[in-house]
């Protein structure tokens, strides 16, 4: 007697994790799901996952993806709008202006797909699920990376990046009627450290002083305005703060490997990544998804927002492998 084939799941609840520029991979995952005919019936996201998820829920993700793929490193720097402030060194309001233009004036409760943006209440010390109100406000709160982008006040609460406590927000989708829950974690192990994209990232933006960064990015900075921006004292100070602090070695120096010297931002960035990876493992243990896609931390650095095209392709490739594996007997 032959056994009837199990029907392929068609209704997907999608959990999109936090992880800075690696979040572009979410776009590739969604593109693969849509091409295969899956119906996304619920989305929750933290940080970059909240941004991509909100745009997908509103039906404007393709427009955002095309814009993101057009960005050069100089354009990203202008959009991040560096400035020394009390609570963050990047204002990022210019990026939010673009997102608002793409989204239009829409509230979460009016979206065709149920959507939850997760943020962290810095005063109460707990996660907050944003399921009502303007979509752009929810996104702004969820992407407020500690020490980088200032927190955002929503309904009297001081909110910051959702990834602080909930880097892979599984719980908000527990009641969604779906055939499959698919989670995309941006804090996977460094199994692809030797991949072409990782290698290219190391070559194109070497750690160290600003003069090395300027040389390596000269091909990307295609306007005199971008070069002028990088020459400003504030921009130089910000980029030095974001550098790894590793000086360029002299040719006669001993080539014995040494412990890398990390700048203040790199220390903070790695600390956040490590903490979020640990939190994500606990969340996966308590709320296991039907299918998990892990984007390795080594894929790119958190602020490599000029690498959208490559990261979208990586997300699509990982989704293709995971979905093919899931339907194999």
């Amino acid at each position: 007697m032959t056994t009837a084939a199990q029907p392929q799941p068609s209704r997907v609840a999608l959990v999109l994790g936090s992880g800075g520029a690696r979040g572009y991979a979410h776009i590739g995952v969604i593109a693969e799901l849509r091409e295969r005919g899956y119906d996304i019936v619920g989305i929750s996201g933290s940080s970059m996952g909240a941004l991509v998820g909100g745009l997908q829920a509103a039906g404007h993700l393709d427009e955002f993806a095309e814009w993101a793929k057009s960005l050069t490193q100089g354009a990203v720097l202008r959009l991040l709008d560096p400035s020394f402030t009390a609570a963050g060194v990047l204002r990022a309001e210019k990026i939010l202006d673009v997102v608002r233009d793409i989204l239009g004036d829409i509230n979460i409760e009016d979206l065709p797909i149920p959507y939850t943006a997760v943020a962290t209440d810095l005063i109460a010390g707990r996660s907050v699920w944003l399921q009502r109100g303007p979509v752009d406000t929810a996104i702004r709160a969820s992407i407020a990376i500690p020490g980088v982008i200032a927190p955002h006040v929503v309904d009297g609460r001081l909110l910051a990046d959702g990834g602080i406590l909930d880097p892979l927000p599984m719980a908000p989708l527990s009641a969604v009627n779906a055939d499959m829950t698919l989670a995309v974690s941006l804090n996977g192990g460094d199994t692809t450290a030797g991949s072409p994209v990782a290698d290219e990232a190391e070559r194109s933006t070497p750690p160290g002083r600003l003069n090395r960064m300027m040389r390596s990015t000269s091909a990307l900075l295609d306007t005199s305005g971008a070069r002028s921006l990088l020459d400003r004292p504030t921009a130089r100070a910000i980029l030095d703060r974001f550098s790894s602090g590793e000086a360029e070695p002299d040719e006669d120096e001993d080539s014995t490997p040494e412990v890398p010297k990390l700048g203040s931002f790199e220390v903070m960035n790695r600390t956040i990544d490590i903490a979020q990876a640990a939190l994500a493992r606990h969340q996966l243990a308590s709320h296991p998804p039907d299918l998990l896609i892990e984007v390795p931390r080594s894929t790119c650095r958190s602020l490599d927002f000029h690498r959208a095209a490559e990261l979208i392709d990586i997300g699509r490739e990982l989704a293709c492998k995971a979905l093919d594996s899931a339907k194999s007997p």
Side-chain angles (χ1 to χ4, degrees):
M1 183 176 69
T2 58
T3 304
Q6 293 293 321
Q8 176 177 317
S10 59
R11 294 168 58 83
V12 176
L14 193 57
V15 183
L16 304 178
S18 61
R22 292 190 299 277
Y24 283 138
H26 292 321
I27 300 174
V29 171
I30 291 171
E32 186 65 22
L33 287 171
R34 292 191 328 207
E35 185 168 303
R36 292 179 182 230
Y38 288 91
D39 182 19
I40 298 173
V41 296
I43 301 173
S44 67
S46 279
S47 197
M48 190 67 172
L51 189 152
V52 172
L55 287 157
Q56 169 61 22
H60 295 294
L61 185 57
D62 291 342
E63 187 178 348
F64 173 80
E66 288 306 310
W67 171 78
K69 288 189 284 188
S70 73
L71 295 176
T72 64
Q73 199 163 21
V76 168
L77 181 61
R78 289 194 299 272
L79 288 165
L80 290 175
D81 199 11
S83 173
F84 288 113
T85 65
V89 295
L90 300 176
R91 284 186 287 257
E93 286 302 318
K94 293 181 180 179
I95 292 179
L96 266 296
D97 286 343
V98 174
V99 172
R100 291 183 188 107
D101 287 344
I102 293 173
L103 280 171
D105 187 13
I106 186 168
N107 287 334
I108 295 174
E109 57 268 34
D110 298 325
L111 293 171
I113 299 174
Y115 164 72
T116 302
V118 177
T120 303
D121 187 325
L122 292 179
I123 307 303
R126 63 182 182 84
S127 290
V128 175
W129 297 358
L130 299 171
Q131 297 175 319
R132 298 187 65 82
V135 177
D136 63 287
T137 298
I139 290 172
R140 171 63 181 84
S142 188
I143 67 169
I145 305 169
V148 180
I149 298 175
H152 194 57
V153 177
V154 179
D155 296 332
R157 296 175 295 189
L158 186 64
L159 302 183
D161 196 298
I164 297 172
L165 292 177
D166 206 351
L168 196 62
M170 303 290 300
L173 294 183
S174 58
V176 171
N177 180 20
D179 301 316
M180 175 175 69
T181 299
L182 190 158
V184 186
S185 171
L186 304 180
N187 291 291
D190 297 339
T191 56
T192 59
S195 70
V197 170
D199 291 344
E200 177 61 23
E202 292 303 318
R203 288 196 299 271
S204 65
T205 315
R209 298 295 150 202
L210 181 61
N211 60 340
R212 295 181 68 200
M213 186 173 184
M214 289 289 286
R215 288 202 303 271
S216 66
T217 60
S218 59
L220 291 172
L221 302 180
D222 52 6
T223 67
S224 59
R227 294 189 182 92
S228 172
L229 181 69
L230 285 172
D231 284 335
R232 295 177 185 174
T234 301
R236 285 180 175 271
I238 293 295
L239 290 175
D240 270 340
R241 181 170 176 175
F242 286 175
S243 74
S244 70
E246 180 185 344
E248 186 171 5
D250 295 330
E251 291 182 1
D252 333 349
E253 281 186 5
D254 188 355
S255 59
T256 305
E258 295 180 356
V259 175
K261 299 176 182 178
L262 303 179
S264 58
F265 177 76
E266 185 64 17
V267 168
M268 180 184 69
N269 185 55
R270 292 192 183 203
T271 301
I272 291 172
D273 276 352
I274 292 168
Q276 289 187 348
L279 283 168
R281 286 194 295 270
H282 286 292
Q283 289 164 334
L284 289 169
S286 58
H287 295 87
D290 298 304
L291 186 61
L292 172 66
I293 295 173
E294 293 188 288
V295 180
R297 292 190 302 273
S298 60
T299 303
C300 76
R301 286 176 294 270
S302 295
L303 295 181
D304 281 350
F305 289 106
H306 60 289
R307 307 185 71 83
E310 294 160 282
L311 293 163
I312 290 170
D313 287 344
I314 286 176
R316 188 155 195 162
E317 180 181 344
L318 291 172
C320 184
K321 290 179 180 178
L323 292 167
D324 287 346
S325 176
K327 70 181 182 182
S328 298

